[in-house]
Amino acid sequence: MINQVKRFFQAQQIYVITSPYYFEKFQLLSLTNLVLVNENELLYRFNFESVADFLKQKINNGDRAGWYFQQFLKLEISKIIQSDYYLIWDADTIPLKPIDFFDKEDKVLIHKSEENHNPYFETLEHILGVTKTVNYSFISEHFMVKTAAIRIMLEELSKNANGMYWPYYILESIQKKDLSLSGFSEYETYGNFLNSTYPDDFRLRTSPSELLNTTRNGSMILGTLPNTKNLHFLEVLGLHYATFEIWQDINPKQIKANKRRVALFFFFEKIPLIRSLNKLIIKNFRKTYSLPQPPY
């Protein structure tokens, strides 16, 4: 993911928020412009165990601690970012081609989705007094965020929390029945806050050249550890990025068969007389995994 981000986005700096246990592994990669941030020190006296302990106390189950914790980290890092904007990019999502995040008027381009999980908006209204303000979802595995806007949102959260630390305030605001599943979304929270405070700072992707072709089913197609050739094939399919989620049901036999077809695709590419057969391979993949046609 990091190599692909460096390749396609020309990032000035890449911040990796993780446990110090992994620092040495990242340092061995000798990657330039990489900033390692200790996840245990970014938030004030608040870490993974803080979330786990809270959930165990409330629902006797800390399984979702990491899922909630990583959302808080994405927001809190705004306090150490020096640039006007920063790109939140989920670590299980791999870019496959260049993407523009601003239009010609320097407005942030939003890639909308169709999710509509009501608990997200119940929590949002409780913590910020903001209701769902759009008829689409801001959840898209990435978000180019305005640093100042995130900081203002966190200030609002802290003010509303009346002395409680804002991550705890969010957790306390989630209905008990939703804590073990999905009771908060950083993307929906920031997106709707942005729309209610700075609506002129962004717009939806509308033109064919702006639309993104994506999939969250990367693991179902090629497993959780795709190699360079696998990624190149997904690029050939017209995808801008693919997400490889570890929780998906994975069929090892199907993945093995898919990788054989990928190998066959690149073999056919070398032989002009049978190269046309690759159109069938591409068509089959798009149909099997409901992949949209490239927008351009």
Side-chain angles (χ1 to χ4, degrees):
M1 184 276 289
I2 293 174
N3 283 330
Q4 293 288 90
V5 164
K6 289 172 67 70
R7 176 185 175 192
F8 293 124
F9 300 164
Q10 294 80 48
Q12 295 176 1
Q13 287 184 311
I14 298 174
Y15 291 78
V16 176
I17 313 173
T18 187
S19 164
Y21 174 81
Y22 298 108
F23 277 17
E24 185 178 356
K25 296 179 184 295
F26 280 104
Q27 291 164 348
L28 289 174
L29 298 176
S30 299
L31 295 167
T32 58
N33 304 332
L34 193 68
V35 180
L36 297 176
V37 180
N38 187 340
E39 66 178 32
N40 298 317
E41 297 179 351
L42 185 59
L43 289 149
Y44 179 68
R45 294 183 179 179
F46 186 93
N47 55 25
F48 173 88
E49 284 74 22
S50 304
V51 188
D53 290 344
F54 178 93
L55 294 177
K56 289 174 184 176
Q57 182 180 354
K58 290 289 185 177
I59 58 175
N60 197 32
N61 186 339
D63 290 348
R64 295 292 273 171
W67 187 79
Y68 284 113
F69 184 47
Q70 56 92 19
Q71 297 188 67
F72 301 151
L73 293 170
K74 292 174 188 173
L75 302 177
E76 182 69 8
I77 199 171
S78 64
K79 296 180 181 179
I80 67 172
I81 296 290
Q82 300 299 312
S83 57
D84 293 336
Y85 290 85
Y86 67 96
L87 175 66
I88 296 174
W89 190 271
D90 286 354
D92 61 2
T93 299
I94 301 181
L96 302 167
K97 57 177 61 179
I99 299 174
D100 290 325
F101 298 101
F102 297 90
D103 67 8
K104 293 180 180 179
E105 297 177 352
D106 288 331
K107 290 187 177 184
V108 173
L109 292 170
I110 299 293
H111 176 61
K112 69 175 184 177
S113 67
E114 304 303 322
E115 293 194 31
N116 187 24
H117 188 54
N118 197 54
Y120 293 156
F121 308 110
E122 292 175 349
T123 304
L124 168 63
E125 186 169 7
H126 191 281
I127 63 178
L128 286 170
V130 175
T131 58
K132 184 174 182 179
T133 57
V134 295
N135 61 358
Y136 53 85
S137 172
F138 288 99
I139 298 174
S140 57
E141 294 75 57
H142 76 280
F143 211 133
M144 179 64 74
V145 303
K146 188 174 183 177
T147 310
I150 288 275
R151 291 174 181 172
I152 291 172
M153 187 183 81
L154 293 182
E155 289 175 4
E156 285 290 312
L157 275 173
S158 297
K159 183 174 68 175
N160 295 341
N162 292 319
M164 186 184 298
Y165 193 32
W166 67 263
Y168 280 122
Y169 177 56
I170 290 176
L171 291 171
E172 287 281 5
S173 300
I174 299 170
Q175 291 193 40
K176 190 173 181 179
K177 64 181 178 62
D178 299 316
L179 270 174
S180 62
L181 299 172
S182 305
F184 171 74
S185 166
E186 80 282 42
Y187 288 127
E188 297 286 33
T189 298
Y190 171 71
N192 284 280
F193 176 80
L194 183 69
N195 189 55
S196 67
T197 53
Y198 304 98
D200 296 328
D201 284 3
F202 75 95
R203 69 173 178 81
L204 293 178
R205 296 179 181 273
T206 53
S207 69
S209 62
E210 294 171 345
L211 296 176
L212 301 182
N213 196 10
T214 71
T215 182
R216 293 182 66 174
N217 295 324
S219 297
M220 293 176 61
I221 302 172
L222 293 167
T224 56
L225 292 173
N227 59 33
T228 302
K229 185 166 288 188
N230 297 156
L231 296 178
H232 182 43
F233 179 73
L234 294 176
E235 181 183 350
V236 170
L237 290 178
L239 295 171
H240 286 83
Y241 62 80
T243 300
F244 296 82
E245 297 177 320
I246 61 173
W247 56 264
Q248 288 186 329
D249 290 331
I250 296 174
N251 184 331
K253 290 184 178 179
Q254 185 61 54
I255 290 171
K256 190 173 182 179
N258 286 346
K259 290 190 173 185
R260 283 200 297 266
R261 286 194 291 163
V262 169
L264 198 60
F265 175 91
F266 288 109
F267 175 74
F268 287 167
E269 280 291 287
K270 299 176 182 179
I271 308 174
L273 290 177
I274 57 175
R275 190 179 297 161
S276 60
L277 294 175
N278 278 343
K279 293 180 180 179
L280 296 176
I281 295 177
I282 291 174
K283 183 178 180 180
N284 182 267
F285 267 96
R286 286 187 179 143
K287 181 179 179 180
T288 302
Y289 296 102
S290 301
L291 301 177
Q293 291 288 335
Y296 58 89

